[in-house]
Amino acid sequence: MRPAAVALVALLVLVIVGPVLAPYSPTEPVGPPYALPGEFGLLGTDQLGRDVLSRVLAGGQPVVLTGLLGALAGSVAGAAVGLIAAVRGVTGAFLMRPLDAVAAVPPVLVLLLVLTAVPGRSGIVLAVALAGAPLVARVTAAAAAPVVSRAHVEAAIARGEGMAWVLGREVLPLVAGPLVADAGVRFVGAVYLVTAAGFLGLGAGAADWGQLIVEALPGAVLQPAALAAPVLLVALLAVSVNLVADDVVRRSRTVLA
């Protein structure tokens, strides 16, 4: 297994079991405010004397799970529209226009607009899906276009096979690699959006990484570990997912060739 994949798996395991491994409750004061790493914990304490390590371990699940749900919903919806656009040009163009309009709106603005109407975690998932689906549809349509013109796809259409059969049996297997790689990129974008929601006080959990970052900013000079820990974990997650996605793209080129 490649180093990026190992790092990603290790980080995901840490996110899953983190709340169990946390030495203290994420809301329990365990020492003086802004205590440096050492006597009062491996990463010290925050502005209210809470254990930073426990809060970091508890803050990963809301970010990763919410981002994963949003990225998955956006990827499935976008891939369905993109595949239809590749096979049925007129119908696909009709479906792509609303997505193009959504793609013109900055993702953070989409997040704020959706959370105004649907507050809470479901609103964040919906916003992430809406922000990612247009780009997924574009990538899918571009990847599927050369496959649709292949002889085996034209033969299936000539035999009178249904749309779902043609897309699922003849087209989707050949574009699955790029779609999986793109899903990784969308997941990274989803993590950024969920973290931004936490930073703005609209997060998916009581102590997600975005909220930890904004809480640590005023005391960053006194207790830099409280700010560095969630920032580094978000960065490590993004870099490892992108490297794994790049590896998937390289492997998929041999299938499409």
Side-chain angles (χ1 to χ4, degrees), residues 143-176:
V147 176
V148 169
S149 61
R150 290 189 177 185
H152 64 95
V153 178
E154 293 180 346
I157 295 174
R159 289 197 307 269
E161 302 289 357
M163 169 76 76
W165 195 95
V166 172
L167 293 178
R169 298 291 296 275
E170 302 291 347
V171 179
L172 186 58
L174 294 179
V175 299

Side-chain angles (χ1 to χ4, degrees), residues 27-190:
T27 59
E28 173 189 3
V30 298
Y34 296 126
L36 292 174
E39 182 182 358
F40 295 100
L42 191 61
L43 294 178
T45 62
D46 65 2
Q47 77 280 7
L48 297 179
R50 297 169 295 192
D51 182 49
V52 172
L53 176 62
S54 300
R55 291 176 64 74
V56 168
L57 290 174
Q61 280 193 7
V63 171
V64 172
L65 292 180
T66 306
L68 189 59
L69 284 175
L72 183 62
S75 294
V76 170
V81 173
L83 287 172
I84 294 173
V87 177
R88 298 286 177 85
V90 176
T91 305
F94 179 78
L95 293 174
M96 292 289 283
R97 295 293 83 80
L99 294 181
D100 289 342
V102 175
V105 182
V108 173
L109 183 55
V110 173
L111 175 70
L112 295 176
L113 291 174
V114 172
L115 286 178
T116 302
V118 187
R121 181 171 298 183
S122 354
I124 298 176
V125 171
L126 178 60
V128 170
L130 283 175
L135 300 177
V136 176
R138 281 290 173 193
V139 170
T140 304
V147 176
V148 169
S149 61
R150 290 189 177 185
H152 64 95
V153 178
E154 293 180 346
I157 295 174
R159 289 197 307 269
E161 302 289 357
M163 169 76 76
W165 195 95
V166 172
L167 293 178
R169 298 291 296 275
E170 302 291 347
V171 179
L172 186 58
L174 294 179
V175 299
L179 294 189
V180 171
D182 184 71
V185 176
R186 301 306 151 208
F187 174 65
V188 172

